Amino acid sequence: MASIKDVAAEAGLSVATVSRALNGHPSVSEDARRRVSAAVEALGYRPNAVARSLRTDETRTLGLVISDVMNPYFTELARSVEEEARALGYSVIIGNADERPDLQDHHVTTLLDRRIDGLLVSPTDGGSPGMLGAARAGTPMVFVDRWIPGVDVPVVRSDGRAAVRDLVAHLHGLGHRRLAIIAGPAATTTGRERVDAFREALAAYGLELPDAYIGQGDFQAGSGRRVTEGFLDLPVPPEAVFAADNLMALGALDAIRARGLRVPDDIALAAFDDIPWFVHTDPPVTAIAQPTRDLGRAAVRALVDRIAGRPGASVTLPARLVVRRSCGEPGTGRPPSPSPVRRSTP
Amino acid sequence: MASIKDVAAEAGLSVATVSRALNGHPSVSEDARRRVSAAVEALGYRPNAVARSLRTDETRTLGLVISDVMNPYFTELARSVEEEARALGYSVIIGNADERPDLQDHHVTTLLDRRIDGLLVSPTDGGSPGMLGAARAGTPMVFVDRWIPGVDVPVVRSDGRAAVRDLVAHLHGLGHRRLAIIAGPAATTTGRERVDAFREALAAYGLELPDAYIGQGDFQAGSGRRVTEGFLDLPVPPEAVFAADNLMALGALDAIRARGLRVPDDIALAAFDDIPWFVHTDPPVTAIAQPTRDLGRAAVRALVDRIAGRPGASVTLPARLVVRRSCGEPGTGRPPSPSPVRRSTP
DNA sequence: CTGAAAGCGCTTACAG
DNA sequence: CTGAAAGCGCTTACAG
């Protein structure tokens, strides 16, 4: 591949002048500029970003470590991050932690070794060594969606508290009293917050959230299935299940369907995170929608601020409830089917 | 950040010896090795991958340019690619072309500038200048899913021909005769092949595929919606619609629902690409499933072969039909008429 | 406006 | 087994 030296030779100029011409430096004659362009064209020259990075100590690359690419919420986040980054002249490298701290650390380390300019992360847990190390090492960093308490890094996330209250009001209005939650990992902020918000909202109606109605999931479909099976096996199963993310809702749907039960007749279902498919599931799923695009944008802006030495603002955006049919037909004041009794399993 | 020079100073050794120790070179004394480890530990040293790449002329990074990250098929492909690459000691940088040739070129160029070792691409069109340039420039490259005829690069893809035949047999068996397709862009191989396969399969039953029943989509949801509306506006609308990917099927579902029509009673629907949500849509969608994970793995292996100077094999894996309920109830021999019995099991 | 030179952090023949 | 030195492809003070 042609190097800047080849271009210099072809143009009959020094490497320094070619470099200046290439970078739009003002003090380059029109003539030199033209000769450089011609040489570049003739040789099909493309600057070597690796060499440039070594010299300038910046890669114009952002790292994004998310917990699960297969989760449409994170996919959309990643897309929005890439768009905003591109607009600002950055590339982004995505690392998929798959909800595993060890994999997360692997990606953080790899990214740091590649000298990315800044790191965007949605931590899988309360702080793996690699993560904490990165934060301490002073790499510009911002948390998106999830964060680690006590680590001094801007956080860009959405607050679902009000939406969860709306959801509980909705469920209560439909006559549901025994409400359960499929929680995310307690090691994550979102895992804890959604349970807390749910519990608080229930308390406002004098309702309890018994331990048996808190199922421990891991934000992935399989756990949603297992937890839901557990709920259905209870002597007194819940009337409504709130899945703390869309994948666990998918798992819940699997479990419910496998038992030959129907939503919302036999059991109501709601999910955190809204996705296009929820409009078309049987039945359409009531969900809490995050302003995902805005989150991605804000996160990149905060990170770029930090990279530039500016403070980098934390941002919290509200989530909102999207009512569909999976909790019962609105307006009836009661769950659709008169007797939400557990059916015998086929 | 500590550099190798700092480590050398700390260990009381030359930079050369430190480098050798770090890279597991055999001719390093046990003593030197220990001192290097201690110094690395003390300084929290991590090798600078940028510098190493400049020197060794390899980045241990693969580029993956896909047409749409938001498409679950490509997300799964990306995930599988990253897993296999990681197992082989490579990182991967994903570029999202969003079905836009210009964006695709942007990513190809950026990736090449970063001197990735090899490029995996699912071309958005028949060959944008950047793509063709990359292929000519001799960067190790392999096509996944889609390819460009005439470009001498290994192709890893799945063949849906047999599955499409099975689908048509299924539709025909259910009594459907007026079959339509929402096609992908004619500029893509998959866009063309799926139409061709569909037409051929119809021909085997003496059925035609009139132009009015070929809707031009772009593999994204919006186009599925528009095309389906067009179909429904026809004086004689089709009895069954085959969407050439899952996103266009989503759009079709949107359009059908917006008209207050029902699947499969009013119109049957099938899709290319199977995704977990298809089990839970209303009704569950009959789809053609690709061996996505295997495709990703095979693509990485072929690419790594090329990087190593080996030939790099093209691979074609069969897709298979997964029958669900969106084309009608099997066994009735007719599209499920007036009162389709609601099943509780998939 | 231009060029010679230093240097970014590594690796690797070459000598010893 | 170890070290001095060259060099990967750039950018950028420093001189002119």
Side-chain angles (χ1 to χ4, degrees):
Chain A
M1 227 168 191
S3 82
I4 197 173
K5 225 183 281 184
D6 302 315
V7 176
E10 174 82 12
L13 289 164
S14 76
V15 155
T17 301
V18 172
S19 174
R20 289 194 196 94
L22 255 19
N23 293 295
H25 189 100
S27 61
V28 177
S29 68
E30 198 39 53
D31 174 59
R33 224 175 275 285
R34 249 193 304 273
R35 277 152 68 194
V36 168
S37 300
V40 163
E41 179 73 18
L43 300 171
Y45 171 76
R46 289 257 79 211
N48 182 331
V50 174
R52 180 194 301 230
S53 291
L54 178 60
R55 184 52 231 247
T56 60
D57 201 34
E58 64 168 30
T59 51
R60 293 251 119 201
T61 302
L62 269 23
L64 169 66
V65 179
I66 49 180
S67 354
D68 185 3
V69 248
M70 300 289 285
N71 184 327
Y73 165 70
F74 284 112
T75 311
E76 190 177 356
L77 187 67
R79 187 201 157 110
S80 155
V81 162
E82 196 275 335
E83 273 176 9
E84 184 70 10
R86 179 153 34 83
L88 266 36
Y90 286 87
S91 295
V92 3
I93 307 186
I94 302 171
N96 179 207
D98 216 0
E99 305 287 359
R100 285 167 42 193
D102 61 312
L103 234 191
Q104 171 181 271
D105 273 12
H106 165 86
H107 283 118
V108 169
T109 308
T110 304
L111 257 11
L112 258 28
D113 287 356
R114 279 160 199 276
R115 300 302 191 262
I116 46 146
D117 294 339
L119 191 59
L120 235 37
V121 11
S122 176
T124 310
D125 67 347
S128 51
M131 271 277 354
L132 264 18
R136 239 192 332 269
T139 317
M141 192 160 139
V142 355
F143 289 136
V144 226
D145 183 58
R146 331 220 272 222
W147 83 98
I148 302 179
V151 176
D152 184 29
V153 154
V155 179
V156 174
R157 62 184 194 102
S158 81
D159 182 355
R161 208 159 286 267
V164 169
R165 261 197 306 272
D166 291 345
L167 171 63
V168 169
H170 172 65
L171 290 166
H172 190 272
L174 255 15
H176 300 298
R177 294 298 176 269
R178 300 196 307 276
L179 312 186
I181 185 169
I182 309 176
T188 63
T189 46
T190 47
R192 273 173 272 131
E193 283 167 1
R194 289 168 197 177
V195 175
D196 291 348
F198 195 57
R199 192 197 313 274
E200 274 178 40
L202 290 187
Y205 288 93
L207 262 27
E208 298 233 328
L209 183 58
D211 285 348
Y213 283 4
I214 306 178
Q216 203 42 253
D218 61 7
F219 282 138
Q220 312 218 38
S223 71
R225 198 176 309 125
R226 281 190 302 276
V227 167
T228 304
E229 281 161 4
F231 285 157
L232 296 174
D233 285 338
L234 253 22
V236 184
E239 294 162 326
V241 172
F242 173 37
D245 86 340
N246 74 79
L247 292 180
M248 297 194 296
L250 173 61
L253 242 18
D254 282 335
I256 294 167
R257 171 164 311 226
R259 297 265 175 131
L261 264 24
R262 297 186 47 197
V263 175
D265 310 68
D266 300 308
I267 191 160
L269 180 70
F272 207 103
D273 291 336
D274 195 19
I275 61 169
W277 292 104
F278 278 165
V279 175
H280 296 289
T281 44
D282 176 22
V285 175
T286 292
I288 292 176
Q290 297 194 54
T292 317
R293 306 287 294 266
D294 295 336
L295 252 23
R297 261 193 292 270
V300 170
R301 287 206 208 100
L303 184 56
V304 169
D305 279 346
R306 300 236 47 165
I307 292 172
R310 285 171 251 128
S314 285
V315 174
T316 305
L317 266 21
R320 64 173 221 289
L321 179 68
V322 179
V323 172
R324 284 192 275 256
R325 298 200 346 259
S326 62
C327 300
E329 293 296 343
T332 65
R334 281 254 70 208
S337 160
S339 57
V341 182
R342 189 154 98 81
R343 302 242 178 115
S344 53
T345 45
Chain B
M1 225 167 192
S3 82
I4 197 173
K5 227 184 275 183
D6 302 314
V7 176
E10 174 82 15
L13 289 163
S14 76
V15 155
T17 302
V18 172
S19 174
R20 288 194 198 94
L22 256 20
N23 293 296
H25 189 99
S27 62
V28 176
S29 68
E30 197 40 52
D31 174 59
R33 224 175 274 284
R34 250 194 304 272
R35 278 152 68 195
V36 168
S37 300
V40 164
E41 180 73 18
L43 300 171
Y45 170 76
R46 289 257 80 210
N48 182 328
V50 175
R52 182 193 302 232
S53 291
L54 179 58
R55 185 51 231 249
T56 61
D57 200 34
E58 64 169 29
T59 52
R60 292 250 118 203
T61 302
L62 269 25
L64 169 65
V65 179
I66 50 182
S67 355
D68 185 3
V69 248
M70 300 288 286
N71 183 328
Y73 165 70
F74 284 112
T75 311
E76 190 177 357
L77 187 67
R79 186 200 159 112
S80 156
V81 162
E82 196 275 334
E83 274 175 10
E84 184 69 10
R86 179 152 35 81
L88 267 34
Y90 286 86
S91 295
V92 4
I93 306 186
I94 302 170
N96 179 207
D98 217 359
E99 303 288 0
R100 286 167 40 195
D102 62 312
L103 234 192
Q104 170 182 273
D105 272 12
H106 165 88
H107 284 119
V108 168
T109 308
T110 304
L111 257 10
L112 259 28
D113 287 355
R114 281 160 199 276
R115 300 301 191 261
I116 46 146
D117 294 340
L119 191 59
L120 235 37
V121 10
S122 176
T124 310
D125 66 348
S128 51
M131 272 276 354
L132 264 17
R136 239 193 331 269
T139 316
M141 192 161 142
V142 355
F143 289 135
V144 225
D145 183 59
R146 328 218 275 221
W147 83 100
I148 303 179
V151 177
D152 184 28
V153 155
V155 179
V156 174
R157 63 184 194 103
S158 82
D159 181 355
R161 208 159 285 266
V164 169
R165 259 197 308 269
D166 291 346
L167 171 64
V168 169
H170 172 66
L171 290 166
H172 190 270
L174 254 16
H176 300 299
R177 294 297 177 268
R178 299 196 307 277
L179 313 185
I181 184 168
I182 309 176
T188 63
T189 45
T190 48
R192 272 173 271 130
E193 283 167 0
R194 290 169 196 177
V195 174
D196 290 349
F198 195 57
R199 191 198 312 273
E200 272 179 41
L202 290 187
Y205 288 93
L207 262 27
E208 298 234 329
L209 183 59
D211 285 347
Y213 283 4
I214 306 178
Q216 203 42 252
D218 61 8
F219 282 139
Q220 311 218 39
S223 71
R225 197 176 311 123
R226 282 190 302 277
V227 167
T228 304
E229 281 161 5
F231 286 156
L232 296 173
D233 285 337
L234 252 25
V236 184
E239 294 162 327
V241 172
F242 173 37
D245 86 341
N246 74 80
L247 292 180
M248 297 195 296
L250 173 61
L253 243 17
D254 283 335
I256 293 167
R257 170 162 313 223
R259 297 269 173 128
L261 264 23
R262 298 186 48 198
V263 175
D265 310 69
D266 299 307
I267 189 160
L269 180 69
F272 207 103
D273 289 335
D274 195 19
I275 62 169
W277 293 105
F278 278 164
V279 175
H280 296 289
T281 44
D282 176 21
V285 175
T286 292
I288 291 176
Q290 297 194 53
T292 318
R293 306 287 293 267
D294 295 336
L295 252 21
R297 261 192 291 270
V300 170
R301 288 206 207 101
L303 184 55
V304 169
D305 279 346
R306 300 237 47 163
I307 293 172
R310 285 171 251 127
S314 285
V315 174
T316 303
L317 266 22
R320 64 173 222 289
L321 179 67
V322 178
V323 172
R324 285 192 276 255
R325 299 204 341 263
S326 62
C327 299
E329 295 293 342
T332 64
R334 278 259 69 206
S337 45
S339 62
V341 189
R342 241 181 166 305
R343 295 247 186 115
S344 30
T345 41

